[in-house]
Amino acid sequence: MEQKPDRISAPARREQILEAAARVFGELGYAGATTDKVARAAGISQPYVVRLFGTKDQLFVEVLERTGERVLRAFDEAIEASDDAATVQARVGAAYVELVQTDRGVLLSLMQGFILGHDPHIGPVARRGFMRIYDRLRTVMEPEEAMRFIAQGMLINTLIASGLMAEFQQGQNVHELLACAFGDKLGLVLDGMAADR
Amino acid sequence: MEQKPDRISAPARREQILEAAARVFGELGYAGATTDKVARAAGISQPYVVRLFGTKDQLFVEVLERTGERVLRAFDEAIEASDDAATVQARVGAAYVELVQTDRGVLLSLMQGFILGHDPHIGPVARRGFMRIYDRLRTVMEPEEAMRFIAQGMLINTLIASGLMAEFQQGQNVHELLACAFGDKLGLVLDGMAADR
DNA sequence: GTATGTGGTAATCGACTGATTACTTGACGC
DNA sequence: GCGTCAAGTAATCAGTCGATTACCACATAC
């Protein structure tokens, strides 16, 4: 509840803004989000957001790059942690679900970027990020495996973004689909969703 | 090139607008699209779009419902056409890819709706449309099959929306992923993409 | 103390957008 | 001919948003 105008260094403030922006962009999409909403989510004024990032475009691009690297890092750690080649797929899958649970905005921002491929600034960054993730998966999976893995990831993103996760109790098939998509991690994720309500 | 103000009946005009809106919303997203862009794409003035649909919200909702039913109809036809239970999955998959090829805006509008689940008007419609498609798949597939199927559909949507289809020649892995996701239908789809350039 | 640089905001501007209003044009019944 | 209704538009309004400008507060150096 501090309302003191606590001054932080510009780089630290950038981090705060990027984190808030990931949530806002993830929820509202690029066009639907405003620099003012990002600013309020970060606890500062709108002009300062623009000054630190130059443009709404550039802010979103930086969010995209940041989130893409976050996914890559999580995958790398999961890959490194699994010495057995047979367990690597389960580990990487678990890493993705964990990322979903702890930082929903990350995945949703990525998703928002993917479906803006037509944009001359955002499109190239989104495509490159997507392919970097696929390439990383291919270092430990066959093409068919990697395709199915990333497909399931897109489904998970869609389930979260559409708000179907919060309707898991409505309709038998909703719960069935969620259970099928998340496997034994479903309970975990549902708890995570309920937590930040 | 006709610039005569050809008058059509209001219901027919609504169809034109809905078709144009599916393309515009699919390309730019809900917030990114404007009623004026839809109007120009349909060859009429912006106020008339608003008058026929009341609200941008309602126009998008109607597009969503329309496109959802289009997918359902395509699936139903594919299911009906396949007497053998073993071939039904391939047939439904082919129906989806064909839908992608002939009417890209349909799938992209759906996708745009899915990731706007937070919106109080759009969210419920999108979720209901999504689950109706899943339910239909479940009449001919096991849960695991249906989940994988719809996951691959989400991947295909993402690949198209991100613009990766147009970059199939850049990077070996891009082509590999596309080939893996579309199977033997890849050539067909790429031709379809190149056609409406 | 005063100059200087850094973190930050209030006020505002111009462009855009969804919606409204008032108007025009033409077909059809009588 | 004339009233009426449907199809459609030009003009415009009110709100929003990204960006700019001009300013403030406070530290630290000298």
Side-chain angles (χ1 to χ4, degrees):
Chain A
M1 284 297 174
E2 72 270 74
Q3 52 209 20
K4 282 280 160 240
D6 38 290
R7 291 159 62 102
I8 332 181
S9 73
R13 196 59 95 179
R14 282 179 61 95
E15 293 301 319
Q16 283 188 357
I17 297 175
L18 284 170
E19 207 167 320
R23 288 199 307 274
V24 175
F25 281 130
E27 189 173 341
L28 306 172
Y30 170 71
T34 70
T35 54
D36 187 65
K37 287 196 180 106
V38 172
R40 283 176 200 283
I44 55 171
S45 69
Q46 178 261 344
Y48 198 33
V49 173
V50 175
R51 186 153 98 181
L52 285 186
F53 291 90
T55 287
K56 188 187 175 189
D57 262 336
Q58 292 175 23
L59 171 60
F60 187 67
V61 165
E62 219 161 306
V63 168
L64 268 191
E65 286 170 342
R66 190 67 67 103
T67 54
E69 275 159 23
R70 200 119 139 207
V71 173
L72 283 181
R73 212 180 315 134
F75 283 1
D76 281 340
E77 288 171 7
I79 291 171
E80 246 177 272
S82 56
D83 36 297
D84 189 350
T87 68
V88 76
Q89 186 152 358
R91 287 220 191 222
V92 178
Y96 191 75
V97 173
E98 193 171 341
L99 203 59
V100 163
Q101 180 197 354
T102 60
D103 211 332
R104 209 160 67 247
V106 168
L107 285 316
L108 296 189
S109 286
L110 264 183
M111 201 65 181
Q112 298 282 357
F114 290 158
I115 64 168
L116 278 174
H118 79 99
D119 186 285
H121 296 101
I122 299 169
V125 178
R127 287 190 286 272
R128 191 172 133 274
F130 189 92
M131 285 314 296
R132 282 186 64 188
I133 292 174
Y134 178 74
D135 291 349
R136 200 63 53 103
L137 291 176
R138 281 286 282 110
T139 64
V140 290
M141 300 181 193
E142 292 301 302
E144 182 83 8
E145 282 178 313
M147 186 275 276
R148 286 193 193 281
F149 184 93
I150 212 167
Q152 194 164 338
M154 293 302 114
L155 171 61
I156 286 176
N157 289 348
T158 307
L159 288 175
I160 297 172
S162 69
L164 268 173
M165 303 272 331
E167 288 186 350
F168 69 97
Q169 53 219 345
Q170 292 174 312
Q172 186 58 36
N173 277 351
V174 180
H175 192 279
E176 174 193 288
L177 172 58
L178 292 178
C180 202
F182 285 95
D184 53 4
K185 295 285 194 309
L186 178 57
L188 211 78
V189 178
L190 285 178
D191 289 348
M193 301 283 301
D196 55 11
R197 254 297 136 194
Chain B
M1 285 296 171
E2 70 268 75
Q3 52 210 21
K4 282 283 160 235
D6 38 291
R7 291 159 62 104
I8 342 178
S9 75
R13 195 59 96 179
R14 281 179 62 96
E15 292 302 318
Q16 284 188 358
I17 296 176
L18 283 170
E19 206 167 320
R23 288 199 308 273
V24 174
F25 281 129
E27 188 173 343
L28 304 173
Y30 170 71
T34 70
T35 55
D36 188 65
K37 287 198 182 101
V38 172
R40 282 176 201 284
I44 55 170
S45 70
Q46 179 262 344
Y48 198 33
V49 172
V50 176
R51 186 152 98 185
L52 285 185
F53 291 89
T55 288
K56 188 188 174 187
D57 261 336
Q58 292 174 23
L59 171 59
F60 187 66
V61 165
E62 218 161 308
V63 167
L64 269 191
E65 287 170 342
R66 190 67 67 104
T67 54
E69 275 160 23
R70 200 120 137 207
V71 173
L72 283 181
R73 211 180 317 133
F75 282 0
D76 281 340
E77 288 171 6
I79 290 172
E80 245 178 272
S82 55
D83 37 297
D84 189 349
T87 66
V88 76
Q89 186 153 358
R91 286 218 191 225
V92 178
Y96 191 74
V97 174
E98 193 171 342
L99 203 58
V100 163
Q101 180 197 355
T102 59
D103 212 331
R104 210 161 68 247
V106 168
L107 285 317
L108 296 188
S109 286
L110 265 183
M111 202 65 180
Q112 297 283 356
F114 290 157
I115 65 169
L116 277 174
H118 78 100
D119 185 285
H121 296 100
I122 299 170
V125 178
R127 286 191 286 274
R128 192 171 133 276
F130 189 93
M131 285 314 297
R132 282 186 65 187
I133 292 174
Y134 177 76
D135 291 348
R136 201 61 55 103
L137 291 177
R138 282 285 283 109
T139 64
V140 290
M141 300 183 194
E142 291 302 302
E144 182 83 10
E145 282 178 313
M147 186 275 276
R148 288 194 191 280
F149 184 93
I150 212 166
Q152 194 162 339
M154 293 302 115
L155 171 61
I156 286 176
N157 289 349
T158 308
L159 289 174
I160 299 173
S162 68
L164 267 174
M165 302 274 330
E167 287 186 350
F168 69 96
Q169 53 220 345
Q170 290 173 314
Q172 186 58 35
N173 277 351
V174 180
H175 192 279
E176 175 193 287
L177 172 58
L178 292 178
C180 202
F182 286 95
D184 54 2
K185 296 282 195 311
L186 178 57
L188 211 77
V189 179
L190 286 177
D191 289 348
M193 301 283 299
D196 56 10
R197 256 296 137 193

